[in-house]
Amino acid sequence: MDPIARIKIHKDSTFALLLEAQRRHWSITYLEPGDLYQQQGRTFAQGRTLQVRDDPTGWFALGDRTDQALDQYDMVLMRKDPPVDAEYLYATHLLQQVADAGSLVLNHPRGLRELNEKLVIQRFPELIVPTLVSCSMARHQVFIEQHQDVILKPLDGMGGASVFRVRRDDPNRQVILETLTASGCRSIMAQRFIPDIRHSGDKRILVIDGEPVPYALARFPAAGETRANLATGGRGQGVALNARDREIVATVAPLLRSYGILFAGLDVIGDYLTEINVTSPTCIRELDAAYHLNIAGQLLDCLATRFTQ
């Protein structure tokens, strides 16, 4: 995971999973990507035993560092936030050996490697708004002219970072494209803007082994802001899933299962799928608090079942 000393425990889903694992008396070892290494075809890590407390004044205690082969663990959870850069991809290759040796790795390294959270929605053209992926500034200019109001975003980010809303008459659209594409050298995504975000929010739908949690966290943009991400000041509100939400989940679920994505977060605005989060889906703590759920418990039940099969 990312450094545990920097997380915000009131909203961190990995922390919710840690609390639930500890409640079940599961032994927990903590490691960051830099603790991974591979020798003679086998993946090891210099990990530390971990104890957690739901206390903002002190929420973790770490033991001494020890080296151990990861394929000796029953389960390995990969909960590293984007960017999905070269180091992230290298980590999935190291974890692939662990999965091949028979340990349960969540989410599966192949799925993390191949299902880019932005690009994967293109596999479901019937669920998405008009969408373009290209490094060509000219092609994006044509798209903006055609759709008049669009969202531009990088392919490897999270939390609304470097996401722009660009209208046809925006005098800055050329420089925005230059910046995002590195003057035509980096591919980005353009999506037609979905006005429904103002009244129905940007829903985060959590999916466990292909089945949705029955409530989503709808995130609404702050005043004067386009992005609804909580990291950019968005407001979260729990909502029950509607028929369209369930239709989207049912359509996407077979792909998630086929790639070993046991825990995903679908982003839905209005009737449209906008992203499929597979790296470190969040919103567990907010939904647990709003509806007295135990989503971490549901996920660990799923993992326990997989382990005993």
Side-chain angles (χ1 to χ4, degrees):
M1 63 179 289
D2 293 289
I4 193 168
R6 301 180 193 170
I7 65 173
K8 298 176 181 178
I9 65 170
H10 69 281
K11 58 182 289 187
D12 193 276
S13 291
T14 303
F15 191 70
L17 292 167
L18 291 170
L19 287 171
E20 178 64 18
Q22 182 171 275
R23 188 186 68 79
R24 297 176 181 220
H25 305 291
W26 292 9
S27 176
I28 304 169
T29 300
Y30 163 85
L31 56 142
E32 298 173 26
D35 296 318
L36 291 169
Y37 64 98
Q38 196 171 71
Q39 286 184 314
Q40 300 303 111
R42 198 174 185 193
T43 299
F44 298 81
Q46 191 176 72
R48 305 173 74 177
T49 58
L50 172 66
Q51 293 182 319
V52 289
R53 292 188 303 162
D54 201 358
D55 180 351
T57 66
W59 55 91
F60 69 98
L62 293 170
D64 294 333
R65 293 185 180 275
T66 57
D67 290 72
Q68 187 167 342
L70 284 190
D71 56 25
Q72 295 303 296
Y73 289 96
D74 299 324
M75 307 175 191
V76 179
L77 275 64
M78 171 63 157
R79 293 280 304 173
K80 172 71 176 66
D81 285 341
V84 180
D85 53 14
E87 283 300 318
Y88 188 102
L89 294 176
Y90 297 153
T92 69
H93 286 288
L94 269 60
L95 291 173
Q96 185 72 51
Q97 180 272 320
V98 181
D100 291 345
S103 293
L104 178 61
V105 182
L106 171 77
N107 282 317
H108 196 282
R110 174 175 170 253
L112 294 176
R113 214 167 29 247
E114 298 186 22
L115 299 184
N116 176 277
E117 296 184 323
K118 310 296 191 294
L119 293 175
V120 66
I121 67 169
Q122 294 271 37
R123 300 194 186 204
F124 305 98
E126 73 279 15
L127 300 180
I128 65 176
V129 293
T131 299
L132 169 69
V133 176
S134 176
C135 64
S136 166
M137 290 186 288
R139 191 166 283 112
H140 281 291
Q141 292 281 23
V142 171
F143 187 87
I144 294 168
E145 286 290 329
Q146 180 181 3
H147 296 288
Q148 302 189 41
D149 192 356
V150 307
I151 295 294
L152 300 175
K153 62 177 75 171
L155 299 177
D156 62 353
M158 62 165 287
S162 300
V163 174
F164 289 84
R165 180 181 178 183
V166 179
R167 296 177 177 87
R168 182 181 180 184
D169 60 354
D170 192 326
N172 295 306
R173 77 184 203 185
Q174 177 63 27
V175 70
I176 291 171
L177 287 170
E178 289 172 2
T179 302
L180 286 178
T181 68
S183 297
C185 296
R186 183 168 54 231
S187 293
I188 64 170
M189 174 174 281
Q191 295 170 299
R192 188 182 71 197
F193 177 70
I194 308 171
D196 289 336
I197 193 170
R198 287 293 171 190
H199 61 81
S200 62
D202 180 354
K203 295 179 188 175
R204 168 59 58 82
I205 302 172
L206 297 180
V207 181
I208 298 174
D209 195 14
E211 295 297 328
V213 173
Y215 303 96
L217 190 73
R219 298 157 296 174
F220 295 87
E225 176 64 81
T226 296
R227 301 168 298 173
N229 309 76
L230 300 182
T232 62
R235 171 181 60 86
Q237 176 182 322
V239 295
L241 300 192
N242 60 34
R244 176 60 172 173
D245 297 332
R246 293 181 180 278
E247 177 186 355
I248 290 172
V249 173
T251 303
V252 171
L255 177 74
L256 298 178
R257 287 193 177 109
S258 71
Y259 278 87
I261 303 298
L262 297 183
F263 188 44
L266 276 54
D267 288 349
V268 173
I269 301 176
D271 290 333
Y272 301 101
L273 176 69
T274 61
E275 291 186 14
I276 301 176
N277 297 269
V278 300
T279 54
S280 54
T282 190
C283 294
I284 285 179
R285 301 219 78 182
E286 294 89 344
L287 288 172
D288 279 355
Y291 295 105
H292 306 290
L293 303 174
N294 182 7
I295 297 170
Q298 291 179 250
L299 179 55
L300 294 193
D301 283 345
C302 172
L303 299 187
T305 300
R306 289 296 185 100
F307 176 66
T308 57
Q309 288 178 348

